[in-house]
Amino acid sequence: MDSSLDHGTLLGRTTELQSLVDFLDMLNVHNTSMLANVTGEPGIGKSAILDAFAEMARQRGATVLTGRAFRGAAGRPLGVFSDLLEGCHDMPSISGELPEDTHRTIRGLLEQLAADRPLVLVLDDCHAYDPRSLTLLGDLLRKPPDAPVMLVLGYRDRQACTGLRSSIQDRLRALPAMHLEVRQLSEEAVYQLLGEAGTPTWRKQLHQDSGGNPRYLHALLRERSGPDEAAYGPGTNHDDIDFLGEFDGITGLPRQVADAAAVLGDGFDIALIATMLAEPEQTVPAALDSLIARDLVRPAAHGTSFAFRHPVIRRAIYRSLGLSRRIGLHERAEEALRERAATPLQRAPHVQHSIRHGDLEGADLLTGAAVQIMANQPDTATAWLRTALQTLPQQEATRDRRAVVLTALAKSLGISGKLPESLSTMHYALRTIGVGRPDQRAEAVAHIAAVERMLGTHSSTDAVLRAEMAARGDDTTVSTAFLQLEMAHRELVRDDAAASHEWATRALAISRLHGHHALEASCLGLLSKTDCALGNVSGASTRLDVAAAILDGMLDDKLPESLDAAVWIGWSEVLLRRWRDAARHFGRAVDSAVRTSNGLVLPHLLLGHVMALRNRGRLVDAQAAAQHALRLAEQSTSQEQLFIARAMLSWANSHLGGPDKELDAAAEAMARVGDAVVGWQGALAVRMLAEARLMNDDPDGCLELVHLAGGANLQGANATSRATWYELLVRAELDAGRPGAAARWAERSEALTKHVGPSGLSHLATAQVLLATDPTAALPRAQQAVAGIRPTGAAIDELRARIVLGVAMWHRDCPDEALRELRSAKVGLERIGALPLAKRARREQRRLAARGPRLREQSERTTAETVLTRREQQIAELVRDGLTNRRISRTLSISEKTVEMHLTNLFAKLGVVNRAGVAAYVTNSQLAAMAASAG
């Protein structure tokens, strides 16, 4: 491949450029004219490719001439060729009428230019050439120069006239030729162009919406970058100017049709356009032909429907309309659609821009349409509801209407992630709701409670929520079920799983009474979680199966209405260690929430998604999801949300081996204050932060955080969380050189299995302690750990267990199997990017390989035969006392690297794998010495 492509220029276009370069290399071989035909959609990047190729051809020693059409080219006949050959000697005059021998003269001139070295003629935007230029180009194609000339023609295939197509097709058969169709950029290329911007889901959606077209991608980025996207008026941005330029020369009825179509939306039909413009229907197709010829409008798949080439073009036209014209067209569209008996959803965009103050019917239409689209398009719903609210007079007669609009507006704001505004709006709605409307009050109270839960202000509406429940008595409406479910959420935050279970059970009964499947799935998911907390694993599993089946049966367009169900189903799968299902359900829900801009439940979904992705070994995706969560948290006012987001990003970073010290310090500062650590999610964030400290070689820092999770007893933690904590604390104590303390945590983990059944993590905890204290006994537990973890899909934990298994095998005289296991673990960890763990596996692999086979007799020799240097003995005793490498270096006045070197030697001499083994050696040696002395 040509080396110049490495620095060139066009991301994602290396293959196209290389094809042109390879074709250029054939020019000297054929020593005759050759034709390269480059086509593609508008904005796809043809011109950029041709410019880059022209520069590369110059670098390779070719003479390069370039010509391109420009706006208004029809007013300057043959301007392309005048520009192309400007400065060439013997250039004939080609203005005015075209002499018959002009093409022969130009052909001869091109042959002269190609006499000493190859000539590359780059003619871009051929579809826009004036008729005389097309005639001259056709003549050159029919009788090309008899010299090494590479003709490179770039054009939009849909806009090319018949003559141009015919001339090119004839030459493709007669000349050495190539056809290069520039296609859409791949997802990977778009991701590279976007860099670190946004989230993977956002980038994927942008690639999909742009069709991989760089021009549309740039326009969409500008539209979505901030408040300017709503600005109106010509010349709003450079993209609009560029797109509007394609309409140059389109006037009269064709331009009126384009304006009306832009107001109608992304799809329109001939009859509706004719009605809006008060034109005979038979006149509209001819006007459309002008737009279709420019490839500005394209027919739909069937019937008489049409759409702009891309929505960004429609929006550019819409923004260019003056205010009065825009409103007038919306009014006509609304009249035409009303006559058609169109749906409220079809009429709402036009009612929004044409409604008059006091139009109650219009306000009702906007409200109803907004409620329909709220789950999928909350921003649009919010705009319609604001318009409806402004339309309603501040009168007692409209109070009920205003209460309905305010309630819907608060919900749409919440879904959009504008939680403080949502909360204040719903409080206003609650004050506006009249007496005798209990269901509406219940809806408002439940929403306020949910938003406060998201913001971390859980207690301020407790009294209102409980009073509302008391007032409803034995009511069995759906509104009551939502209140009960919110009560269940509240009790779970307070760590009262029994009370939460009771409220969720009552809500489940009502959901089934009314056949409300989304509510039923939410209740079952929450009940499964409370069952886990109460130790009823069998009941949790049964309920979860039913809930997951309901969720999986929902179509994508219905999922936005059931994201709350996805939250609890996903978390129950986490607790039951169904990591594959958890990653799938959280991933689908996050995609839906991002696609529909649902910010109400997205933070909770992202927390679960990060958990599932990490355990599945998708560490880069976990890091990206955590970064997304942090961006959301920084925009919110919730300290709880901010702490959780910082903790999980620290956690993800630590697994990839790239800690962010500033981020870690900020998260730890929030943890020490304690106000941000609220409920089970706060406790989970503490555990993430603790493991991040351990992964960053700070075992004591890890252990310091236990008190924030309920102390040594882990008060309030469910069985699954305790099992994970115990294994983490075993690792921390072993890394700190305290095998006795590690053994006590492993005993707690063992005791836990008597209540909830065997656990792969419990076996792993015990196996690690045995490696430090009685390594020949560790193999069975290591094997049980791998066997127990593998079915759950927890890839990271399984690979960690395989490191332990490999070392245990070596201690049982299975060196070949041990090295294979360690090698497999190392490769697996490297593949998923878990660099710190991969480094540990590699270190064990090298250490065991260097020592050779371990005979059991050697492993059972007394430690008296082991000879340590004086410095090694000093370091071993300090490790036994729990000192870190840094503290040892300061105590002995040596560098940390020297400490690490001595520790490596100690591990090799003593046949141990960590600091805990060193500590155990020192303790056992001293006990043996004391026994000998006593004897």
Side-chain angles (χ1 to χ4, degrees):
M1 180 171 287
D2 192 273
S3 61
S4 62
L5 296 181
D6 296 336
H7 349 264
T9 47
L10 296 175
L11 195 57
R13 295 305 189 197
T14 303
T15 301
E16 289 88 341
L17 280 169
Q18 186 65 52
S19 297
L20 289 169
V21 169
D22 291 344
F23 194 60
L24 174 62
D25 289 341
M26 297 170 58
L27 196 57
N28 288 325
V29 175
H30 291 282
N31 200 35
T32 187
S33 290
M34 297 166 52
L35 174 62
N37 192 32
V38 181
T39 65
E41 290 276 311
I44 203 67
K46 301 181 298 298
S47 296
I49 290 172
L50 293 180
D51 288 345
F53 170 67
E55 181 58 31
M56 294 167 62
R58 289 189 186 96
Q59 293 173 6
R60 300 171 77 85
T63 299
V64 179
L65 302 178
T66 61
R68 177 172 296 154
F70 56 92
R71 287 175 188 160
R76 186 170 170 245
L78 297 171
V80 172
F81 284 94
S82 295
D83 295 341
L84 179 77
L85 299 171
E86 184 177 1
C88 292
H89 297 296
D90 304 322
M91 172 64 195
S93 173
I94 55 175
S95 60
E97 292 297 324
L98 189 65
E100 291 185 6
D101 63 345
T102 300
H103 78 275
R104 286 192 292 271
T105 303
I106 293 179
R107 177 172 175 266
L109 179 58
L110 297 177
E111 290 173 348
Q112 290 178 30
L113 291 171
D116 297 327
R117 53 181 177 169
L119 173 65
V120 175
L121 199 64
V122 179
L123 297 170
D124 196 9
D125 290 336
C126 296
H127 59 276
Y129 285 6
D130 63 276
R132 294 182 188 179
S133 294
L134 286 174
T135 298
L136 183 52
L137 176 59
D139 290 339
L140 287 173
L141 287 173
R142 278 188 292 276
K143 296 201 73 174
D146 186 15
V149 178
M150 179 176 173
L151 293 165
V152 186
L153 307 183
Y155 60 94
R156 301 176 183 178
D157 192 53
R158 284 175 177 264
Q159 298 179 41
C161 65
T162 303
L164 177 62
R165 290 172 184 270
S166 176
S167 297
I168 291 173
Q169 283 301 119
D170 289 344
R171 291 300 90 193
L172 287 175
R173 291 188 290 268
L175 290 175
M178 67 169 288
H179 179 209
L180 175 64
E181 182 180 0
V182 183
R183 299 182 182 275
Q184 69 174 32
L185 291 172
S186 65
E187 278 191 29
E188 181 182 357
V190 169
Y191 291 177
Q192 291 179 40
L193 281 170
L194 295 172
E196 297 298 319
T199 64
T201 301
W202 179 82
R203 292 193 290 270
K204 183 176 182 180
Q205 188 67 46
L206 201 56
H207 174 265
Q208 180 178 321
D209 292 346
S210 69
N213 185 304
R215 190 177 177 195
Y216 301 153
L217 179 67
H218 187 274
L220 289 169
L221 276 171
R222 184 183 290 273
E223 285 186 344
R224 298 174 186 182
S225 64
D228 286 344
E229 71 183 69
Y232 292 104
T236 296
N237 59 56
H238 294 296
D239 294 307
D240 281 4
I241 293 171
D242 194 23
F243 291 128
L244 292 173
E246 296 191 49
F247 288 82
D248 284 352
I250 294 180
T251 58
L253 185 58
R255 181 55 194 246
Q256 293 179 45
V257 168
D259 292 349
V263 167
L264 280 174
D266 291 330
F268 59 91
D269 62 70
I270 291 174
L272 191 55
I273 291 286
T275 303
M276 284 180 64
L277 298 178
E279 293 282 343
E281 189 171 328
Q282 61 268 26
T283 65
V284 175
L288 278 172
D289 284 343
S290 300
L291 302 175
I292 292 171
R294 294 271 191 104
D295 196 26
L296 297 166
V297 166
R298 294 176 180 176
H302 59 278
T304 58
S305 296
F306 300 83
F308 283 91
R309 186 178 75 226
H310 192 277
V312 295
I313 299 175
R314 181 194 71 78
R315 292 194 287 270
I317 291 291
Y318 185 85
R319 284 189 287 265
S320 74
L321 298 174
L323 180 63
S324 61
R325 177 155 177 75
R326 190 171 70 248
I327 292 175
L329 287 171
H330 275 300
E331 287 177 339
R332 295 180 203 171
E334 158 58 7
E335 291 171 5
L337 289 169
R338 188 172 61 246
E339 289 176 7
R340 281 188 170 192
T343 66
L345 280 179
Q346 292 171 317
R347 294 172 56 193
H350 309 293
V351 172
Q352 179 194 6
H353 293 287
S354 60
I355 194 169
R356 302 293 198 276
H357 187 264
D359 183 352
L360 303 185
E361 180 186 345
D364 290 345
L365 182 144
L366 288 173
T367 304
V371 169
Q372 288 186 57
I373 67 166
M374 187 183 298
N376 291 286
Q377 302 175 55
D379 291 335
T380 300
T382 296
W384 291 354
L385 290 164
R386 289 192 194 278
T387 301
L389 191 61
Q390 293 167 1
T391 301
L392 294 173
Q394 291 279 348
Q395 301 171 353
E396 185 61 30
T398 63
R399 177 172 179 167
D400 289 343
R401 274 190 168 92
R402 282 187 286 113
V404 170
V405 176
L406 284 165
T407 301
L409 178 59
K411 285 188 171 184
S412 68
L413 288 167
I415 294 172
S416 297
K418 302 176 178 70
L419 301 188
E421 188 181 357
S422 171
L423 189 60
S424 62
T425 302
M426 193 60 90
H427 275 296
Y428 182 27
L430 191 59
R431 293 193 298 272
T432 308
I433 295 170
V435 295
R437 297 185 178 276
D439 287 349
Q440 199 174 348
R441 281 190 58 83
E443 187 179 0
V445 170
H447 180 81
I448 289 170
V451 172
E452 288 197 340
R453 174 162 46 90
M454 300 298 174
L455 290 171
T457 55
H458 306 277
S459 59
S460 61
T461 57
D462 271 359
V464 177
L465 187 57
R466 294 184 183 278
E468 194 65 34
M469 285 303 311
R472 299 183 75 83
D474 296 328
D475 182 75
T476 57
T477 61
V478 171
S479 298
T480 296
F482 276 108
L483 286 172
Q484 291 169 340
L485 189 60
E486 195 54 47
M487 288 295 298
H489 293 162
R490 292 272 169 135
E491 298 297 352
L492 191 61
V493 169
R494 294 190 182 91
D495 295 324
D496 190 342
S500 176
H501 194 278
E502 182 181 347
W503 283 113
T505 300
R506 293 165 65 180
L508 176 64
I510 295 177
S511 71
R512 286 175 168 170
L513 178 66
H514 293 277
H516 198 304
H517 297 304
L519 179 58
E520 180 185 3
S522 294
C523 295
L524 287 167
L526 184 54
L527 281 168
S528 179
K529 192 174 189 308
T530 56
D531 278 333
C532 287
L534 294 169
N536 182 11
V537 176
S538 175
S541 182
T542 300
R543 292 184 196 274
L544 183 56
D545 289 340
V546 178
I550 295 173
L551 188 65
D552 288 339
M554 291 180 183
L555 299 177
D556 285 345
D557 61 340
K558 294 296 182 183
L559 185 60
E561 302 169 11
S562 306
L563 292 179
D564 193 56
V567 169
W568 298 114
I569 290 170
W571 278 115
S572 295
E573 287 165 340
V574 166
L575 290 175
L576 292 175
R577 302 195 180 281
R578 300 183 181 183
W579 294 111
R580 294 182 182 87
D581 291 338
R584 177 170 57 86
H585 286 135
F586 276 128
R588 184 183 176 209
V590 166
D591 285 347
S592 177
V594 171
R595 186 173 59 252
T596 59
S597 303
N598 189 324
L600 187 60
V601 297
L602 187 53
H604 291 291
L605 289 170
L606 285 169
L607 175 59
H609 201 206
V610 170
M611 277 283 293
L613 290 171
R614 176 270 180 192
N615 280 281
R616 289 293 296 138
R618 293 167 55 187
L619 298 181
V620 174
D621 290 340
Q623 184 186 54
Q627 290 168 341
H628 187 183
L630 182 58
R631 280 191 289 271
L632 291 177
E634 289 172 342
Q635 296 167 8
S636 76
T637 59
S638 171
Q639 290 299 296
E640 175 188 349
Q641 188 178 334
L642 184 59
F643 168 63
I644 291 170
R646 284 174 171 171
M648 61 179 167
L649 183 53
S650 292
W651 190 53
N653 288 342
S654 69
H655 281 76
L656 288 165
D660 181 333
K661 293 182 179 179
E662 185 176 339
L663 173 73
D664 296 347
E668 290 166 12
M670 295 185 78
R672 283 194 294 272
V673 172
D675 291 343
V677 183
V678 180
W680 63 271
Q681 290 178 317
L684 174 59
V686 169
R687 194 181 81 214
M688 290 178 167
L689 195 57
E691 185 166 16
R693 281 186 167 185
L694 181 61
M695 295 289 290
N696 293 331
D697 298 322
D698 184 10
D700 289 327
C702 168
L703 294 163
E704 287 173 3
L705 293 175
V706 178
H707 74 280
L708 293 176
N713 294 323
L714 298 174
Q715 190 68 32
N718 58 60
T720 302
S721 295
R722 286 202 298 274
T724 306
W725 262 113
Y726 291 148
E727 194 275 333
L728 172 62
L729 296 171
V730 164
R731 281 187 278 152
E733 295 287 10
L734 290 174
D735 280 3
R738 295 186 286 267
R744 288 191 289 274
W745 288 118
E747 289 168 4
R748 287 175 182 256
S749 185
E750 287 288 326
L752 185 64
T753 62
K754 297 177 182 178
H755 302 286
V756 298
S759 161
L761 283 181
S762 176
H763 290 308
L764 181 57
T766 301
Q768 290 173 100
V769 171
L770 288 172
L771 275 185
T773 58
D774 186 6
T776 59
L779 182 59
R781 285 308 189 99
Q783 291 170 328
Q784 290 172 316
V786 172
I789 293 171
R790 186 191 303 118
T792 70
I796 284 277
D797 291 340
E798 181 185 346
L799 290 167
R800 287 198 302 110
R802 290 192 177 279
I803 296 175
V804 175
L805 177 60
V807 178
M809 285 177 167
W810 188 85
H811 282 284
R812 291 294 293 268
D813 302 337
C814 303
D816 294 338
E817 293 90 334
L819 291 175
R820 276 198 300 270
E821 199 68 56
L822 288 169
R823 189 180 306 112
S824 175
K826 177 183 73 72
V827 170
L829 289 164
E830 287 174 341
R831 186 174 61 249
I832 63 177
L835 301 183
L837 292 172
K839 182 179 179 181
R840 175 170 291 192
R842 184 165 56 251
R843 185 172 62 243
E844 293 297 340
Q845 183 184 356
R846 288 174 176 173
R847 184 178 66 83
L848 297 185
R851 297 192 65 194
R854 176 183 177 86
L855 300 177
R856 183 164 298 171
E857 294 80 10
Q858 291 176 325
S859 70
E860 294 173 352
R861 286 178 185 169
T862 64
T863 58
E865 297 180 23
T866 303
V867 179
L868 302 182
T869 66
R870 184 179 64 84
R871 181 66 82 188
E872 288 169 349
Q873 186 69 40
Q874 287 176 322
I875 290 175
E877 290 175 355
L878 292 173
V879 166
R880 186 270 322 271
D881 294 338
L883 272 67
T884 63
N885 285 5
R886 180 172 297 177
R887 291 176 61 190
I888 292 172
S889 71
R890 290 175 180 173
T891 301
L892 299 179
S893 298
I894 58 178
S895 70
E896 283 191 60
K897 287 192 175 294
T898 301
V899 175
E900 291 175 3
M901 179 195 71
H902 286 303
L903 278 174
T904 300
N905 293 337
L906 277 169
F907 289 168
K909 286 185 177 183
L910 301 179
V912 298
V913 298
N914 51 31
R915 302 167 75 91
V918 175
Y921 161 79
V922 174
T923 301
N924 291 336
S925 296
Q926 291 177 345
L927 289 174
M930 291 171 60
S933 176

